[in-house]
């Protein structure tokens, strides 16, 4: 099997990280991979916000925690009540991908960017995990203030986010793939 396929098959969501920050060269490569994802009409609609500042990361966590607590969803509420609750699993780097809402495919484009970045991280020996929790925060008034503080451009909407860092756990075994999800028409 070639290295690209090995990277795709070996990538797992990592939820425990070492405290060490990833190096800037690796960060640049991850962002480069995100920017080179395919995108509708070649509009390159994705915007990347890299957060490595501990205070901002804590702030994001606290905002998410508040939302989880009043979400009305039992599993979210239970998670938020846990002492160790941390939406970004204490990873040192958090990257938000937003997309130009004027682009008809900005969600697809941003999602392709995210997957490219997860695979780039795996290829560099780093762990990563897609984090969607902020999606409930950004549409709210508090979320709009946070968006401004983070410098996300006005015309851009949140697409998704991911965390990156050195793995501090054995990657979990992947769940078996679902059956009957393929139909080949020849
Ligand atoms: C759109 C999307 C949202 C996700 N959101 C979260 C999240 O908020 N927190 C989390 O721990 N994992 C999140 N994940 C990771 C999934 O739980 C994970 O990809 C899935 O369980 C399969 O495991 P694997 O990535 O190790 O193959 C998300 C994945 C996707 C694609």
């Amino acid at each position: 099997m070639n290295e690209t396929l090995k990277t795709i098959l070996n990538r797992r969501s990592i939820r425990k990280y070492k405290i060490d920050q990833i190096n800037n060269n690796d960060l640049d490569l991850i962002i480069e991979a995100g920017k080179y994802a395919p995108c509708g009409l070649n509009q390159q609609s994705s915007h990347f916000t890299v957060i490595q500042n501990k205070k901002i990361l804590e702030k994001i966590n606290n905002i998410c925690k508040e939302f989880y607590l009043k979400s009305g969803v039992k599993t979210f509420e239970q998670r938020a009540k846990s002492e160790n609750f941390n939406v970004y699993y204490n990873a040192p780097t958090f990257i938000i991908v937003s997309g130009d809402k004027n682009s008809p495919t900005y969600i697809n484009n941003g999602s392709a960017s995210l997957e490219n970045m997860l695979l780039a991280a795996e290829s560099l020996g780093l762990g990563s995990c897609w984090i969607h929790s902020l999606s409930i925060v950004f549409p709210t008034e508090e979320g709009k203030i946070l968006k401004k503080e983070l410098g996300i451009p006005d015309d851009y909407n949140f697409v998704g986010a991911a965390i990156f860092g050195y793995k501090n756990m054995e990657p979990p075994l992947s769940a078996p793939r679902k059956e009957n999800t393929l139909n080949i028409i020849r």
Side-chain angles (χ1 to χ4, degrees):
M1 195 184 293
N2 70 40
E3 292 304 313
T4 305
L5 288 170
K6 275 188 208 160
T7 299
I8 292 170
L9 295 184
N10 286 339
R11 182 214 54 80
R12 296 268 75 77
S13 292
I14 299 299
R15 298 187 174 90
K16 208 166 174 210
Y17 292 88
K18 296 184 180 162
I19 56 167
D20 314 64
Q21 186 54 269
I22 65 172
N23 70 54
N24 288 340
N25 191 41
D26 285 352
L27 176 63
D28 289 347
L29 292 169
I30 288 169
I31 297 295
E32 190 84 333
K35 286 184 175 178
Y36 273 81
C39 55
L41 302 168
N42 198 14
Q43 285 184 327
Q44 299 180 33
S45 59
S46 296
H47 180 273
F48 306 85
T49 306
V50 178
I51 306 161
Q52 295 183 323
N53 177 300
K54 274 207 159 130
K55 281 203 173 128
I56 310 273
L57 287 170
E58 269 168 36
K59 184 175 176 171
I60 290 173
N61 192 46
N62 289 336
I63 292 175
C64 288
K65 188 172 180 154
E66 286 305 309
F67 275 90
Y68 271 39
L69 285 173
K70 52 188 185 199
S71 65
V73 182
K74 257 217 157 96
T75 41
F76 285 176
E77 285 171 11
Q78 270 166 359
R79 273 186 68 189
K81 278 181 193 154
S82 151
E83 230 179 81
N84 304 324
F85 175 83
N86 191 296
V87 275
Y88 61 93
Y89 302 107
N90 294 303
T93 292
F94 189 96
I95 303 179
I96 293 173
V97 176
S98 51
D100 184 343
K101 61 185 179 201
N102 300 307
S103 167
T105 56
Y106 80 87
I107 295 175
N108 315 69
N109 302 345
S111 301
S113 293
L114 274 160
E115 174 65 354
N116 262 17
M117 295 195 296
L118 304 186
L119 294 175
E122 175 65 27
S123 77
L124 294 164
L126 296 169
S128 68
C129 184
W130 191 311
I131 300 293
H132 207 61
S133 316
L134 277 174
S135 63
I136 54 168
V137 173
F138 274 115
T140 66
E141 281 315 306
E142 211 170 355
K144 283 176 194 155
I145 296 168
L146 179 66
K147 189 180 154 190
K148 265 215 162 11
E149 281 175 4
L150 296 176
I152 297 173
D154 281 346
D155 266 0
Y156 283 62
N157 282 345
F158 175 81
V159 173
I163 50 174
F164 300 88
Y166 293 100
K167 300 172 194 176
N168 200 9
M169 62 181 270
E170 277 301 308
L173 284 180
S174 60
R177 299 297 97 179
K178 281 190 180 169
E179 308 244 347
N180 303 321
T181 59
L182 170 69
N183 185 21
I184 303 180
I185 301 165
R186 292 197 169 106

